[in-house]
Amino acid sequence: MKHSLHIFLFFFLISSNGIAQKIEKTKSPKKAAILSAIIPGAGQIYTKRYWKIPIIYGGLITSAYYINDNNEKYKMYKDAALVSIDNNNSNQIVNGTTYSYSDLKTLKDHYLRNRELSCFSLVGVYILNIVDASVNAHLFSFDVSDDISLDIRPTSTFTSAGLSLTVNF
């Protein structure tokens, strides 16, 4: 008796779990967007698009790396340019290369611009992560099957001729 009760409970849990999985055919775009805003990639986990997570983190980590790299070079050339001004526009040696003040100013501006572009890239990847999760949630229950088709055939009768359109969903 006890054994049959355990078997009954086991099959009941399996069947109720299957029903719950069948009922959840839609995902909330708002929930997906909020999850991705809090933790990048969490919305992709929620919508079961796991393969996108390495792409998201690759973009975020790459952007962060270039923000740091360009910031360090910007500071280095800015400091060298300031020393050059203090020494009456004398040439400065940076990493074994001699630069004039105008060269140092150009390099400083270059790395400042690259740092800003890297910041925009980081923000862009973050926003795309949120938008992607929301769109995936909207399209979660979208049915793409082989049954969707459009069939166009010519038709004719004794008195008329035309086309027959058949749409299958």
Short mmCIF file of all heavy atoms in Angstrom, two decimals, residues 6-59:
data_model
loop_
_atom_site.label_atom_id
_atom_site.label_comp_id
_atom_site.label_asym_id
_atom_site.label_seq_id
_atom_site.Cartn_x
_atom_site.Cartn_y
_atom_site.Cartn_z
N HIS A 6 3.56 5.96 -3.00
CA HIS A 6 4.76 6.65 -3.47
C HIS A 6 4.78 6.74 -4.99
O HIS A 6 5.15 7.77 -5.56
CB HIS A 6 6.02 5.95 -2.96
CG HIS A 6 6.26 6.16 -1.51
ND1 HIS A 6 7.33 5.61 -0.87
CD2 HIS A 6 5.58 6.84 -0.56
CE1 HIS A 6 7.31 5.94 0.40
NE2 HIS A 6 6.24 6.68 0.62
N ILE A 7 4.41 5.65 -5.64
CA ILE A 7 4.36 5.65 -7.10
C ILE A 7 3.32 6.64 -7.59
O ILE A 7 3.57 7.42 -8.52
CB ILE A 7 4.08 4.23 -7.64
CG1 ILE A 7 5.28 3.32 -7.36
CG2 ILE A 7 3.77 4.27 -9.13
CD1 ILE A 7 5.03 1.87 -7.68
N PHE A 8 2.16 6.67 -6.93
CA PHE A 8 1.11 7.62 -7.30
C PHE A 8 1.60 9.06 -7.15
O PHE A 8 1.41 9.89 -8.04
CB PHE A 8 -0.14 7.39 -6.46
CG PHE A 8 -1.19 8.44 -6.67
CD1 PHE A 8 -1.95 8.45 -7.82
CD2 PHE A 8 -1.38 9.44 -5.72
CE1 PHE A 8 -2.90 9.43 -8.03
CE2 PHE A 8 -2.33 10.42 -5.92
CZ PHE A 8 -3.10 10.42 -7.08
N LEU A 9 2.25 9.37 -6.02
CA LEU A 9 2.77 10.72 -5.79
C LEU A 9 3.84 11.08 -6.82
O LEU A 9 3.90 12.21 -7.30
CB LEU A 9 3.31 10.86 -4.37
CG LEU A 9 2.28 10.91 -3.25
CD1 LEU A 9 2.95 10.90 -1.90
CD2 LEU A 9 1.40 12.14 -3.41
N PHE A 10 4.70 10.12 -7.13
CA PHE A 10 5.74 10.36 -8.12
C PHE A 10 5.14 10.73 -9.48
O PHE A 10 5.51 11.72 -10.10
CB PHE A 10 6.64 9.12 -8.24
CG PHE A 10 7.69 9.23 -9.30
CD1 PHE A 10 8.79 10.05 -9.11
CD2 PHE A 10 7.57 8.52 -10.48
CE1 PHE A 10 9.76 10.16 -10.08
CE2 PHE A 10 8.53 8.62 -11.46
CZ PHE A 10 9.64 9.45 -11.26
N PHE A 11 4.17 9.94 -9.95
CA PHE A 11 3.54 10.22 -11.24
C PHE A 11 2.70 11.50 -11.20
O PHE A 11 2.63 12.23 -12.18
CB PHE A 11 2.68 9.04 -11.70
CG PHE A 11 3.50 7.92 -12.25
CD1 PHE A 11 3.54 6.70 -11.61
CD2 PHE A 11 4.24 8.09 -13.40
CE1 PHE A 11 4.31 5.67 -12.10
CE2 PHE A 11 5.01 7.07 -13.91
CZ PHE A 11 5.06 5.85 -13.26
N PHE A 12 2.10 11.79 -10.05
CA PHE A 12 1.35 13.03 -9.91
C PHE A 12 2.27 14.24 -10.04
O PHE A 12 1.95 15.21 -10.73
CB PHE A 12 0.62 13.06 -8.56
CG PHE A 12 -0.13 14.34 -8.33
CD1 PHE A 12 -1.32 14.59 -9.00
CD2 PHE A 12 0.37 15.30 -7.47
CE1 PHE A 12 -2.00 15.78 -8.80
CE2 PHE A 12 -0.30 16.49 -7.26
CZ PHE A 12 -1.49 16.73 -7.94
N LEU A 13 3.44 14.18 -9.39
CA LEU A 13 4.39 15.29 -9.47
C LEU A 13 4.93 15.46 -10.89
O LEU A 13 5.08 16.57 -11.38
CB LEU A 13 5.53 15.08 -8.48
CG LEU A 13 5.17 15.25 -7.01
CD1 LEU A 13 6.36 14.86 -6.13
CD2 LEU A 13 4.72 16.66 -6.72
N ILE A 14 5.22 14.35 -11.54
CA ILE A 14 5.71 14.43 -12.92
C ILE A 14 4.65 15.02 -13.83
O ILE A 14 4.92 15.92 -14.63
CB ILE A 14 6.15 13.03 -13.43
CG1 ILE A 14 7.42 12.59 -12.72
CG2 ILE A 14 6.37 13.05 -14.93
CD1 ILE A 14 7.83 11.18 -13.04
N SER A 15 3.42 14.56 -13.70
CA SER A 15 2.36 15.06 -14.58
C SER A 15 2.02 16.51 -14.28
O SER A 15 1.78 17.29 -15.18
CB SER A 15 1.11 14.19 -14.48
OG SER A 15 0.56 14.28 -13.17
N SER A 16 2.03 16.91 -13.00
CA SER A 16 1.72 18.30 -12.69
C SER A 16 2.84 19.22 -13.16
O SER A 16 2.61 20.33 -13.60
CB SER A 16 1.47 18.49 -11.20
OG SER A 16 2.66 18.23 -10.47
N ASN A 17 4.08 18.74 -13.10
CA ASN A 17 5.20 19.52 -13.61
C ASN A 17 5.09 19.69 -15.12
O ASN A 17 5.34 20.75 -15.66
CB ASN A 17 6.53 18.85 -13.24
CG ASN A 17 7.71 19.73 -13.56
OD1 ASN A 17 7.58 20.94 -13.69
ND2 ASN A 17 8.88 19.12 -13.69
N GLY A 18 4.68 18.65 -15.82
CA GLY A 18 4.48 18.74 -17.26
C GLY A 18 3.39 19.71 -17.62
O GLY A 18 3.47 20.45 -18.58
N ILE A 19 2.31 19.74 -16.83
CA ILE A 19 1.22 20.68 -17.08
C ILE A 19 1.70 22.10 -16.88
O ILE A 19 1.41 22.99 -17.67
CB ILE A 19 0.02 20.36 -16.16
CG1 ILE A 19 -0.62 19.04 -16.56
CG2 ILE A 19 -1.01 21.49 -16.20
CD1 ILE A 19 -1.64 18.52 -15.56
N ALA A 20 2.48 22.32 -15.83
CA ALA A 20 2.99 23.67 -15.56
C ALA A 20 3.90 24.12 -16.70
O ALA A 20 3.89 25.29 -17.08
CB ALA A 20 3.74 23.69 -14.24
N GLN A 21 4.70 23.21 -17.24
CA GLN A 21 5.57 23.58 -18.34
C GLN A 21 4.77 23.88 -19.60
O GLN A 21 5.13 24.74 -20.38
CB GLN A 21 6.58 22.48 -18.61
CG GLN A 21 7.65 22.39 -17.53
CD GLN A 21 8.60 21.24 -17.78
OE1 GLN A 21 8.37 20.41 -18.66
NE2 GLN A 21 9.66 21.17 -17.00
N LYS A 22 3.68 23.17 -19.82
CA LYS A 22 2.87 23.41 -21.01
C LYS A 22 2.10 24.72 -20.91
O LYS A 22 1.86 25.37 -21.90
CB LYS A 22 1.91 22.24 -21.24
CG LYS A 22 2.60 20.98 -21.68
CD LYS A 22 1.63 19.85 -21.84
CE LYS A 22 2.34 18.55 -22.20
NZ LYS A 22 1.43 17.43 -22.28
N ILE A 23 1.70 25.08 -19.69
CA ILE A 23 0.94 26.32 -19.51
C ILE A 23 1.82 27.53 -19.79
O ILE A 23 1.38 28.49 -20.39
CB ILE A 23 0.35 26.38 -18.08
CG1 ILE A 23 -0.75 25.34 -17.94
CG2 ILE A 23 -0.18 27.76 -17.77
CD1 ILE A 23 -1.29 25.18 -16.53
N GLU A 24 3.10 27.49 -19.38
CA GLU A 24 3.98 28.64 -19.55
C GLU A 24 4.53 28.68 -20.97
O GLU A 24 5.61 28.20 -21.26
CB GLU A 24 5.13 28.59 -18.54
CG GLU A 24 5.96 29.84 -18.59
CD GLU A 24 7.18 29.76 -17.68
OE1 GLU A 24 7.44 28.70 -17.11
OE2 GLU A 24 7.86 30.78 -17.58
N LYS A 25 3.75 29.25 -21.88
CA LYS A 25 4.17 29.37 -23.27
C LYS A 25 4.57 30.80 -23.59
O LYS A 25 5.01 31.08 -24.68
CB LYS A 25 3.07 28.92 -24.21
CG LYS A 25 2.86 27.42 -24.19
CD LYS A 25 1.92 27.00 -25.27
CE LYS A 25 1.81 25.50 -25.30
NZ LYS A 25 0.98 25.02 -26.37
N THR A 26 4.36 31.71 -22.65
CA THR A 26 4.73 33.10 -22.87
C THR A 26 5.68 33.55 -21.77
O THR A 26 5.68 33.01 -20.68
CB THR A 26 3.49 34.02 -22.87
OG1 THR A 26 2.85 33.93 -21.60
CG2 THR A 26 2.52 33.63 -23.97
N LYS A 27 6.46 34.53 -22.10
CA LYS A 27 7.39 35.14 -21.15
C LYS A 27 7.08 36.63 -21.09
O LYS A 27 6.67 37.23 -22.07
CB LYS A 27 8.84 34.94 -21.59
CG LYS A 27 9.28 33.50 -21.68
CD LYS A 27 9.54 32.93 -20.33
CE LYS A 27 10.08 31.52 -20.44
NZ LYS A 27 10.38 30.95 -19.16
N SER A 28 7.30 37.22 -19.94
CA SER A 28 7.03 38.64 -19.74
C SER A 28 8.19 39.48 -20.25
O SER A 28 9.31 39.36 -19.74
CB SER A 28 6.81 38.92 -18.26
OG SER A 28 6.80 40.30 -18.01
N PRO A 29 7.97 40.34 -21.26
CA PRO A 29 9.04 41.21 -21.75
C PRO A 29 9.54 42.17 -20.67
O PRO A 29 10.73 42.47 -20.61
CB PRO A 29 8.39 41.97 -22.89
CG PRO A 29 7.25 41.12 -23.32
CD PRO A 29 6.78 40.41 -22.09
N LYS A 30 8.62 42.63 -19.82
CA LYS A 30 9.01 43.55 -18.75
C LYS A 30 9.95 42.85 -17.77
O LYS A 30 10.97 43.41 -17.37
CB LYS A 30 7.77 44.06 -18.03
CG LYS A 30 8.05 45.07 -16.96
CD LYS A 30 6.75 45.57 -16.34
CE LYS A 30 7.01 46.58 -15.23
NZ LYS A 30 5.77 47.05 -14.63
N LYS A 31 9.62 41.63 -17.39
CA LYS A 31 10.45 40.87 -16.46
C LYS A 31 11.82 40.58 -17.08
O LYS A 31 12.85 40.70 -16.41
CB LYS A 31 9.76 39.57 -16.07
CG LYS A 31 10.52 38.76 -15.05
CD LYS A 31 9.73 37.53 -14.63
CE LYS A 31 10.48 36.73 -13.59
NZ LYS A 31 9.72 35.54 -13.16
N ALA A 32 11.84 40.22 -18.36
CA ALA A 32 13.10 39.95 -19.05
C ALA A 32 13.98 41.20 -19.09
O ALA A 32 15.19 41.12 -18.87
CB ALA A 32 12.84 39.44 -20.46
N ALA A 33 13.37 42.35 -19.37
CA ALA A 33 14.13 43.60 -19.42
C ALA A 33 14.67 43.97 -18.05
O ALA A 33 15.83 44.39 -17.93
CB ALA A 33 13.25 44.72 -19.97
N ILE A 34 13.86 43.82 -17.02
CA ILE A 34 14.31 44.15 -15.66
C ILE A 34 15.44 43.22 -15.22
O ILE A 34 16.44 43.66 -14.65
CB ILE A 34 13.13 44.11 -14.67
CG1 ILE A 34 12.18 45.28 -14.94
CG2 ILE A 34 13.61 44.14 -13.23
CD1 ILE A 34 10.87 45.22 -14.19
N LEU A 35 15.31 41.94 -15.52
CA LEU A 35 16.37 40.99 -15.17
C LEU A 35 17.69 41.34 -15.87
O LEU A 35 18.75 41.31 -15.25
CB LEU A 35 15.95 39.57 -15.53
CG LEU A 35 14.91 38.91 -14.63
CD1 LEU A 35 14.42 37.61 -15.25
CD2 LEU A 35 15.48 38.67 -13.25
N SER A 36 17.60 41.70 -17.15
CA SER A 36 18.81 42.06 -17.89
C SER A 36 19.39 43.39 -17.44
O SER A 36 20.59 43.62 -17.55
CB SER A 36 18.54 42.10 -19.39
OG SER A 36 18.58 40.81 -19.91
N ALA A 37 18.54 44.28 -16.95
CA ALA A 37 19.03 45.56 -16.46
C ALA A 37 19.78 45.37 -15.14
O ALA A 37 20.79 46.03 -14.89
CB ALA A 37 17.88 46.54 -16.27
N ILE A 38 19.30 44.45 -14.31
CA ILE A 38 19.95 44.21 -13.02
C ILE A 38 21.24 43.41 -13.21
O ILE A 38 22.29 43.80 -12.71
CB ILE A 38 18.98 43.47 -12.06
CG1 ILE A 38 17.81 44.39 -11.71
CG2 ILE A 38 19.70 43.03 -10.80
CD1 ILE A 38 16.69 43.70 -10.97
N ILE A 39 21.14 42.30 -13.92
CA ILE A 39 22.31 41.45 -14.20
C ILE A 39 22.34 41.19 -15.70
O ILE A 39 21.46 40.49 -16.21
CB ILE A 39 22.24 40.12 -13.44
CG1 ILE A 39 22.17 40.35 -11.93
CG2 ILE A 39 23.43 39.24 -13.79
CD1 ILE A 39 21.88 39.10 -11.14
N PRO A 40 23.31 41.74 -16.42
CA PRO A 40 23.37 41.48 -17.86
C PRO A 40 23.40 39.98 -18.15
O PRO A 40 24.15 39.23 -17.54
CB PRO A 40 24.67 42.15 -18.30
CG PRO A 40 24.88 43.22 -17.28
CD PRO A 40 24.37 42.65 -15.98
N GLY A 41 22.53 39.55 -19.05
CA GLY A 41 22.44 38.14 -19.42
C GLY A 41 21.34 37.40 -18.69
O GLY A 41 20.96 36.30 -19.11
N ALA A 42 20.81 37.95 -17.60
CA ALA A 42 19.77 37.26 -16.85
C ALA A 42 18.48 37.16 -17.66
O ALA A 42 17.75 36.18 -17.57
CB ALA A 42 19.51 37.96 -15.52
N GLY A 43 18.19 38.16 -18.47
CA GLY A 43 17.01 38.10 -19.34
C GLY A 43 17.15 37.03 -20.40
O GLY A 43 16.18 36.40 -20.80
N GLN A 44 18.38 36.81 -20.87
CA GLN A 44 18.62 35.76 -21.86
C GLN A 44 18.46 34.39 -21.21
O GLN A 44 18.00 33.45 -21.86
CB GLN A 44 20.01 35.92 -22.48
CG GLN A 44 20.11 37.02 -23.51
CD GLN A 44 20.02 38.42 -22.95
OE1 GLN A 44 20.20 38.65 -21.76
NE2 GLN A 44 19.73 39.39 -23.80
N ILE A 45 18.83 34.25 -19.95
CA ILE A 45 18.60 33.00 -19.23
C ILE A 45 17.10 32.78 -19.08
O ILE A 45 16.60 31.67 -19.29
CB ILE A 45 19.31 33.01 -17.86
CG1 ILE A 45 20.82 32.98 -18.05
CG2 ILE A 45 18.85 31.83 -17.01
CD1 ILE A 45 21.61 33.18 -16.78
N TYR A 46 16.37 33.84 -18.73
CA TYR A 46 14.92 33.76 -18.55
C TYR A 46 14.22 33.34 -19.84
O TYR A 46 13.27 32.56 -19.82
CB TYR A 46 14.41 35.11 -18.07
CG TYR A 46 12.92 35.25 -17.97
CD1 TYR A 46 12.19 34.53 -17.02
CD2 TYR A 46 12.23 36.11 -18.81
CE1 TYR A 46 10.81 34.67 -16.92
CE2 TYR A 46 10.85 36.26 -18.72
CZ TYR A 46 10.15 35.53 -17.78
OH TYR A 46 8.79 35.67 -17.68
N THR A 47 14.69 33.83 -20.99
CA THR A 47 14.07 33.49 -22.28
C THR A 47 14.74 32.29 -22.95
O THR A 47 14.44 31.98 -24.10
CB THR A 47 14.11 34.69 -23.24
OG1 THR A 47 15.46 35.10 -23.44
CG2 THR A 47 13.28 35.84 -22.71
N LYS A 48 15.65 31.65 -22.24
CA LYS A 48 16.31 30.42 -22.70
C LYS A 48 17.13 30.61 -23.97
O LYS A 48 17.20 29.75 -24.83
CB LYS A 48 15.30 29.30 -22.87
CG LYS A 48 14.61 28.96 -21.58
CD LYS A 48 13.62 27.85 -21.72
CE LYS A 48 13.12 27.56 -20.33
NZ LYS A 48 11.85 27.09 -20.18
N ARG A 49 17.80 31.75 -24.07
CA ARG A 49 18.73 32.04 -25.16
C ARG A 49 20.14 32.08 -24.57
O ARG A 49 20.80 33.10 -24.56
CB ARG A 49 18.39 33.37 -25.84
CG ARG A 49 17.00 33.47 -26.40
CD ARG A 49 16.89 32.63 -27.67
NE ARG A 49 15.66 32.94 -28.38
CZ ARG A 49 14.63 32.14 -28.43
NH1 ARG A 49 14.65 31.00 -27.80
NH2 ARG A 49 13.55 32.47 -29.10
N TYR A 50 20.58 30.93 -24.08
CA TYR A 50 21.83 30.83 -23.34
C TYR A 50 23.05 31.18 -24.19
O TYR A 50 24.03 31.70 -23.67
CB TYR A 50 22.00 29.42 -22.77
CG TYR A 50 20.83 28.97 -21.93
CD1 TYR A 50 19.96 27.98 -22.39
CD2 TYR A 50 20.59 29.54 -20.70
CE1 TYR A 50 18.89 27.57 -21.62
CE2 TYR A 50 19.51 29.13 -19.91
CZ TYR A 50 18.67 28.15 -20.38
OH TYR A 50 17.61 27.75 -19.62
N TRP A 51 22.99 30.92 -25.48
CA TRP A 51 24.15 31.14 -26.35
C TRP A 51 24.50 32.62 -26.49
O TRP A 51 25.62 32.95 -26.90
CB TRP A 51 23.90 30.51 -27.72
CG TRP A 51 22.76 31.12 -28.48
CD1 TRP A 51 21.45 30.77 -28.42
CD2 TRP A 51 22.83 32.19 -29.41
NE1 TRP A 51 20.70 31.56 -29.23
CE2 TRP A 51 21.52 32.45 -29.88
CE3 TRP A 51 23.87 32.97 -29.91
CZ2 TRP A 51 21.23 33.44 -30.79
CZ3 TRP A 51 23.58 33.95 -30.83
CH2 TRP A 51 22.27 34.18 -31.26
N LYS A 52 23.60 33.52 -26.13
CA LYS A 52 23.87 34.96 -26.25
C LYS A 52 24.66 35.51 -25.08
O LYS A 52 25.25 36.59 -25.18
CB LYS A 52 22.56 35.73 -26.39
CG LYS A 52 21.83 35.43 -27.68
CD LYS A 52 20.58 36.23 -27.80
CE LYS A 52 19.87 35.93 -29.11
NZ LYS A 52 18.69 36.75 -29.28
N ILE A 53 24.70 34.80 -23.97
CA ILE A 53 25.36 35.31 -22.76
C ILE A 53 26.86 35.53 -22.98
O ILE A 53 27.37 36.60 -22.61
CB ILE A 53 25.08 34.36 -21.58
CG1 ILE A 53 23.57 34.37 -21.28
CG2 ILE A 53 25.86 34.80 -20.34
CD1 ILE A 53 23.13 33.30 -20.33
N PRO A 54 27.61 34.61 -23.59
CA PRO A 54 29.04 34.90 -23.82
C PRO A 54 29.25 36.10 -24.74
O PRO A 54 30.23 36.83 -24.58
CB PRO A 54 29.57 33.62 -24.47
CG PRO A 54 28.59 32.56 -24.14
CD PRO A 54 27.27 33.23 -23.97
N ILE A 55 28.35 36.33 -25.68
CA ILE A 55 28.47 37.48 -26.58
C ILE A 55 28.30 38.77 -25.78
O ILE A 55 29.06 39.74 -25.96
CB ILE A 55 27.45 37.38 -27.72
CG1 ILE A 55 27.75 36.16 -28.59
CG2 ILE A 55 27.45 38.66 -28.56
CD1 ILE A 55 26.67 35.82 -29.59
N ILE A 56 27.31 38.79 -24.91
CA ILE A 56 27.06 39.98 -24.08
C ILE A 56 28.26 40.28 -23.19
O ILE A 56 28.77 41.40 -23.17
CB ILE A 56 25.79 39.79 -23.24
CG1 ILE A 56 24.56 39.78 -24.13
CG2 ILE A 56 25.67 40.88 -22.17
CD1 ILE A 56 23.30 39.29 -23.46
N TYR A 57 28.72 39.27 -22.47
CA TYR A 57 29.85 39.50 -21.58
C TYR A 57 31.14 39.78 -22.34
O TYR A 57 32.00 40.53 -21.87
CB TYR A 57 30.01 38.34 -20.60
CG TYR A 57 29.06 38.49 -19.44
CD1 TYR A 57 27.84 37.82 -19.43
CD2 TYR A 57 29.36 39.34 -18.39
CE1 TYR A 57 26.96 37.99 -18.38
CE2 TYR A 57 28.48 39.51 -17.34
CZ TYR A 57 27.28 38.83 -17.35
OH TYR A 57 26.40 39.02 -16.31
N GLY A 58 31.29 39.20 -23.51
CA GLY A 58 32.45 39.52 -24.35
C GLY A 58 32.46 41.00 -24.73
O GLY A 58 33.50 41.67 -24.66
N GLY A 59 31.29 41.52 -25.11
CA GLY A 59 31.20 42.94 -25.46
C GLY A 59 31.44 43.84 -24.26
O GLY A 59 32.14 44.86 -24.37
#
